[in-house]
Amino acid sequence: MLNTFRQKLNEARKNRNELMRVAYENVIAKIIVAEKSGKYPLPLSNDVIIGLVQKEIKELEETQACFGEAKDIGIELQIFELQQYLPEPLTEEEVLNIICETISLGETNKGKVIGLTAKKVGNRFDKSKIAPLVSKALEVP
């Protein structure tokens, strides 16, 4: 996946597309920092790289939020371009099905259900939204 980003970076440079050049440079920089951090086993898995792309998108969205009503079209284009590398996100209903499946296997500890669900959904769902869904599923008789 890193090679794909490097190819896209070279294309952006050749086309003199500064917005995409910056977007790809930022993602590549995050990947290189992650490789050198020793935090992840090498070579980096696609899941780790996808997580880094999601982190870059989140930072761009936070930057975009600072503009308020006057949205920056350049940031929106960068977000759109990077989102193409993310897997198809799971719906809330699909995550609820995973939670119910985990509970049906006999697990009723909220923390364990959250952990198992987070592992199953990977990078395809916002992990901060899992806990409320688990609470809701555990309350239902």
Side-chain angles (χ1 to χ4, degrees), residues 61-128:
E61 288 170 343
E62 289 171 357
T63 302
Q64 182 76 320
C66 292
F67 286 102
E69 292 296 315
K71 300 241 182 224
D72 184 344
I73 193 74
I75 292 175
E76 288 181 6
L77 289 172
Q78 288 177 333
I79 291 170
F80 177 77
E81 180 73 20
L82 293 177
Q83 284 176 336
Q84 296 178 35
Y85 297 97
L86 300 180
E88 189 68 32
L90 294 172
T91 64
E92 199 169 288
E93 184 177 311
E94 291 171 319
V95 175
L96 273 172
N97 288 339
I98 292 171
I99 292 168
C100 291
E101 180 183 304
T102 304
I103 293 170
S104 71
L105 295 173
E107 191 58 63
T108 57
N109 180 304
K110 181 180 176 183
K112 287 186 179 181
V113 173
I114 291 171
L116 292 169
T117 304
K119 283 183 183 177
K120 288 181 183 177
V121 300
N123 291 322
R124 298 179 62 201
F125 191 75
D126 184 0
K127 289 182 176 71
S128 66

Side-chain angles (χ1 to χ4, degrees), residues 1 10 24-25 31-32 50 62 72-73 84-85 87 99 103 115 128 138-139:
M1 196 171 218
N10 287 334
Y24 288 119
E25 281 179 348
I31 293 170
I32 291 170
I50 288 170
E62 289 171 357
D72 184 344
I73 193 74
Q84 296 178 35
Y85 297 97
I99 292 168
I103 293 170
S128 66
L138 287 173
E139 289 173 6

Side-chain angles (χ1 to χ4, degrees), residues 8-25 74 77-78 81:
K8 290 291 190 175
L9 172 62
N10 287 334
E11 287 175 23
R13 285 179 177 157
K14 286 178 187 175
N15 297 331
R16 299 186 189 275
N17 186 340
E18 292 301 308
L19 287 172
M20 294 306 113
R21 181 190 61 79
V22 170
Y24 288 119
E25 281 179 348
L77 289 172
Q78 288 177 333
E81 180 73 20

